Every structure is written in C-alpha cells, then in structure tokens.
Amino acid sequence: MKKSEILTCFQCGTCTGSCPSGRYTSLNVRRIIKDSIQKDISDELELWMCTTCYNCQERCPRGIKITDEILKLRSIAVKKGKVLPAHRAVCRYLIETGHAIPIDEMHISIREQIGLAEPETVHKYKKALNDVKTLLKSTGFDELIKE
Ligand code: SF4
Ligand code: SF4
C-alpha cells in the first residue's frame, strides 16, 4: 500500500470499533494507523495483539489495507530484531522440529495408547525435516530470529 493511501485515513474509528482484539487488549488500531504515519512504531507491543481477522480492513470506508499494513509493520519490527520471547520460542521450535507447536512426549504416548500412528508430518518423515531446515536457512529465517 502506498503511504498516500494511509494518509486518506480520517480517523473515523470504524477499525477500532470492529476490532475484536481491541475489546480485550490495549490494541487501538486507529491509533496504530495514525502513529505509523508519523513515527517508527516497531517497539509497540500492540502490533502483536492483532489476530489478523481482517474485520478492520473489510470495513474501512477509505479502503485502507489496515491488516496488511500491520503485517508490514511487524516485518519491519522483526528485521530490526524486535521479536517477542514467546514468538522467538515458536520460531525456534519451527527450525528444530518443523512444527511451530511440536507434538510432545505425553501426546506421543497418548496416541500410542489409542492406536494412532505417528502423524504424517515431519515428525514421521525425518528427511522432510532436513528440507524444512534447508528452506528456513536459505531464506535467512534462522538468522532473523537469533537473539
Ligand atoms: S476505519 Fe479506516 S479511515 Fe477509519 S480510522 Fe480506521 S483506518 Fe482510518
Ligand atoms: S485485523 Fe487485527 S486490528 Fe484489524 S480488527 Fe482484526 S484484530 Fe483488530
């Protein structure tokens, strides 16, 4: 999205009024859009409170691609090394196991007890895990999430 399109925001608040996350967190998407025009907001915790439900984007009377903009702002934050500890942990799981949330010993054991085979994922196909690692390395993802 061009900066000029964001500049058409007239602060009507439809985005904030449509935001389910904003009802339970300090996320104020109207303010995020306003501040992103004026300054670097890559430090803002609220950037990560968006669930990317796209309600705001669908309803903005100016057609501003709000959710896409939030995703871009997150990418900028990550490139600056601003990754929340919980997100960094999930990224590490992805690199190490091929899953953002890998199956744990307890659930492997429960699956065995009820006669379920290993899931048809990288848990079962170790070669695929090597492929995942190669892909993540080739994109620089591993470097991106280093402390
Ligand atoms: S709904 Fe659109 S125009 Fe209204 S405040 Fe949000 S971004 Fe601005
Ligand atoms: S996409 Fe994010 S900011 Fe927009 S309404 Fe959903 S949770 Fe709120």
Side-chain angles (χ1 to χ4, degrees):
M1 161 168 282
K2 290 185 200 135
K3 191 102 177 170
S4 58
E5 290 173 45
I6 299 181
L7 289 173
T8 65
C9 170
F10 62 123
Q11 291 290 294
C12 66
T14 304
C15 48
T16 297
S18 309
C19 178
S21 179
R23 279 174 223 147
Y24 300 99
T25 70
S26 56
L27 172 61
N28 180 335
V29 61
R30 180 191 57 76
R31 186 191 60 74
I32 291 275
I33 291 298
K34 178 165 163 267
D35 287 354
S36 73
I37 297 166
Q38 298 166 341
K39 59 183 181 182
D40 175 9
I41 58 165
S42 53
D43 272 328
E44 293 222 7
L45 197 57
E46 280 81 6
L47 272 184
W48 302 97
M49 293 175 184
C50 165
T51 61
T52 66
C53 71
Y54 281 87
N55 270 1
C56 55
Q57 186 159 317
E58 283 175 348
R59 294 177 183 170
C60 173
R62 293 292 201 212
I64 296 170
K65 295 195 168 31
I66 304 169
T67 317
D68 296 347
E69 193 57 30
I70 289 175
L71 292 172
K72 270 190 225 156
L73 291 166
R74 286 179 176 178
S75 294
I76 291 168
V78 171
K79 280 183 186 151
K80 288 182 177 173
K82 294 167 185 178
V83 183
L84 298 181
H87 294 165
R88 209 182 284 280
V90 168
C91 293
R92 252 191 247 111
Y93 279 142
L94 186 62
I95 290 174
E96 287 163 14
T97 72
H99 282 265
I101 310 289
I103 193 163
D104 59 18
E105 291 301 323
M106 184 182 82
H107 286 92
I108 289 172
S109 159
I110 292 171
R111 288 179 70 91
E112 281 170 1
Q113 284 167 34
I114 59 176
L116 284 176
E118 277 187 278
E120 297 286 321
T121 70
V122 290
H123 284 308
K124 185 170 176 183
Y125 301 103
K126 300 299 176 208
K127 186 190 168 308
L129 177 56
N130 287 335
D131 293 344
V132 170
K133 287 180 191 235
T134 303
L135 275 171
L136 293 176
K137 199 169 179 54
S138 71
T139 60
F141 183 80
D142 54 343
E143 287 297 319
L144 205 59
I145 60 121
K146 270 190 183 158
E147 298 284 349

